[in-house]
Amino acid sequence: MTPPRTQQIPVVVLAGFLGSGKTTLLNHLLRNRAGTRIGVIVNDFGSIEIDAMTVAGQVGSTVSLGNGCLCCAVDASELDTFLETLTRPSARLDVIVIEASGLAEPQELVRMLLASENPHILYGGLVEVVDAAEFDATRERHPEIDRHLAVADLVVLNKTDRVGEAEQDRLRERVVELSGPAAVIPAVHGRIDPELLFDPALRPDGEEKVRQLTFEDLLREEAGHAHEEHLHAAYESVDFTSDTPMDPRRFMAFLDSRPEGLYRIKGFADFGAGDRDNKYALHAVGRFLRFVPQPWARGEQRLTQLVMIGAGIDAGALRDGLTACRAEPLENPDAARAPADTPDAERSMWGVLRYVRQEPDTEDVPVDVQQAAVEA
């Protein structure tokens, strides 16, 4: 199998009802992008604080922010057109964030992304922002928030400074009940760690050292130290490394039953005899899962290396679960060098290969996500 020629760009959907704080969260991401080039698709520029964005207030316009970020104002019907624009190599973007209108149906955006034929994008998750202080009143006015939460991959319980500790616990329990396996992160003024949503970009030496002052620099100067060091406390990151190949069936059983609150899994898996030519890059966000086979480099150490990110997760249980997924040691070590052409070796990879994108369709997307996106 041949890996994609270009790296796929994750597309994150940022949703929430009017006043929940999603624009504040978006501005926080732009202030704390850590060199990451962000493409932003929004419905309305008026509420975004960066002045340069207001010059692109018409639908169909695009503006460069001067710091590697781009912004577009689009109608939903034009989503694919603008994704095509933002995924061009000349844009050099690392992540795209779609800020949905306050009254939008986020599951429709998710459905469009999962059905997109653009080979350069990868679903990055649905983030639903909830106003803790107004949650009960919002549900009364907009009961559809329940179905929005049901398809969310990450819920940001925002404005927690406006409610007491007991009320926050009650709200969290209610949101967890409505959102199922989604991770729930408390926040104040939309301040979450950007690494929850995307990885900091690694730039060639010197690329970011000599440059003009950017909007990010100006915003940092205006706001002081914008990146509070306690942001990471709302979630946990768990690492796992194994020099023993993973058993494909056990590993898929682990992924199929991953616990509530586990938002992202990223890294590489070695399936040993299942496919000796390739390691499998793993991208999981919420219920979405994708594998991309990539040839082992000559002399590369064959390891499974994973990072799991979530809220309220049991690090020890996750590591134990993955340890139990390792393949049994071979009684005959020479068998490890035999071709992986036995029927059992092929069958063991079927579960993995279901999530390798072969064609620009949604066949590799778990059924529950497709149904939730379409029916919710």
Side-chain angles (χ1 to χ4, degrees):
M1 298 177 188
T2 303
R5 288 177 297 177
T6 57
Q7 183 175 356
Q8 291 177 302
I9 301 172
V11 181
V12 178
V13 178
L14 181 61
F17 283 93
L18 296 170
S20 62
K22 61 182 184 297
T23 300
T24 302
L25 191 155
L26 176 58
N27 280 294
H28 168 73
L29 295 178
L30 292 171
R31 286 190 178 99
N32 297 277
R33 65 186 183 91
T36 301
R37 300 185 192 279
I38 304 175
V40 182
I41 298 176
V42 296
N43 296 117
D44 175 23
F45 285 99
S47 58
I48 296 183
E49 299 166 5
I50 299 177
D51 291 340
M53 291 188 189
T54 62
V55 304
Q58 302 301 314
V59 169
S61 56
T62 302
V63 61
S64 172
L65 303 185
N67 61 355
C69 299
L70 295 176
C71 273
C72 304
V74 303
D75 287 327
S77 61
E78 299 176 309
L79 181 59
D80 263 334
T81 300
F82 278 85
L83 286 175
E84 181 65 30
T85 299
L86 293 180
T87 55
R88 290 174 181 169
S90 58
R92 303 172 66 214
L93 295 179
D94 301 300
V95 63
I96 296 171
V97 179
I98 300 175
E99 184 191 5
S101 162
L103 297 177
E105 290 291 341
Q107 65 268 27
E108 285 303 307
L109 284 171
V110 172
R111 180 190 60 78
M112 292 170 68
L113 288 174
L114 295 179
S116 173
E117 296 185 359
N118 189 325
H120 305 298
I121 66 170
L122 187 66
Y123 179 57
L126 168 60
V127 179
E128 182 78 17
V129 184
V130 171
D131 182 342
E134 299 293 331
F135 180 65
D136 292 328
T138 300
R139 286 189 73 205
E140 185 174 342
R141 292 194 307 272
H142 303 288
E144 60 268 30
I145 191 175
D146 287 9
R147 67 172 182 265
H148 294 185
L149 288 169
V151 296
D153 300 299
L154 173 69
V155 179
V156 177
L157 188 59
N158 197 29
K159 305 184 184 181
T160 53
D161 56 321
R162 295 179 55 191
V163 299
E165 185 174 343
E167 176 66 0
Q168 185 178 153
D169 290 341
R170 181 190 72 83
L171 290 170
R172 182 184 177 87
E173 289 180 6
R174 186 63 178 137
V175 169
V176 167
E177 179 183 337
L178 293 170
S179 61
V184 180
I185 303 292
V188 175
H189 302 303
R191 294 195 295 264
I192 66 171
D193 195 321
E195 289 192 44
L196 264 170
L197 306 183
F198 52 81
D199 300 327
L202 298 177
R203 298 285 171 215
D205 290 343
E207 181 174 329
E208 290 284 335
K209 292 179 182 177
V210 181
R211 54 173 170 75
Q212 294 181 332
L213 195 65
T214 69
F215 282 104
E216 181 185 24
D217 299 322
L218 294 173
L219 285 167
R220 282 181 178 274
E221 186 175 301
E222 178 184 331
H225 182 56
H227 190 309
E228 285 73 10
E229 296 187 3
H230 67 272
L231 293 178
H232 67 278
Y235 71 95
E236 187 170 4
S237 178
V238 182
D239 299 329
F240 175 82
T241 300
S242 174
D243 57 5
T244 301
M246 308 300 282
D247 179 279
R249 293 190 181 97
R250 295 177 189 170
F251 189 58
M252 290 308 302
F254 171 85
L255 293 176
D256 288 342
S257 61
R258 50 193 186 272
E260 293 183 0
L262 182 55
Y263 174 56
R264 292 180 66 198
I265 309 176
K266 56 185 180 178
F268 297 90
D270 172 19
F271 292 117
D275 186 347
R276 293 195 181 88
D277 295 329
N278 295 295
K279 60 184 176 182
Y280 282 72
L282 166 61
H283 169 78
V285 55
R287 304 167 182 86
F288 178 85
L289 176 62
R290 171 74 53 77
F291 285 104
V292 179
Q294 299 179 2
W296 291 104
R298 180 175 297 180
E300 181 179 359
Q301 186 178 7
R302 301 199 171 201
L303 298 173
T304 292
Q305 295 178 299
L306 301 171
V307 177
M308 295 160 285
I309 300 172
I313 55 179
D314 186 332
L318 287 174
R319 290 195 181 98
D320 289 345
L322 285 169
T323 298
C325 293
R326 294 186 299 181
E328 298 292 339
L330 294 171
E331 295 183 6
N332 178 11
D334 291 336
R337 292 185 290 272
D341 57 2
T342 65
D344 187 64
E346 292 178 355
R347 285 195 297 268
S348 72
M349 290 294 291
W350 286 353
V352 174
L353 296 177
R354 284 183 55 217
Y355 296 94
V356 173
R357 181 169 184 161
Q358 304 292 346
E359 299 292 340
D361 55 30
T362 59
E363 288 183 356
D364 59 339
V365 180
V367 174
D368 61 337
V369 176
Q370 296 185 51
Q371 293 302 318
V374 174
E375 298 176 358

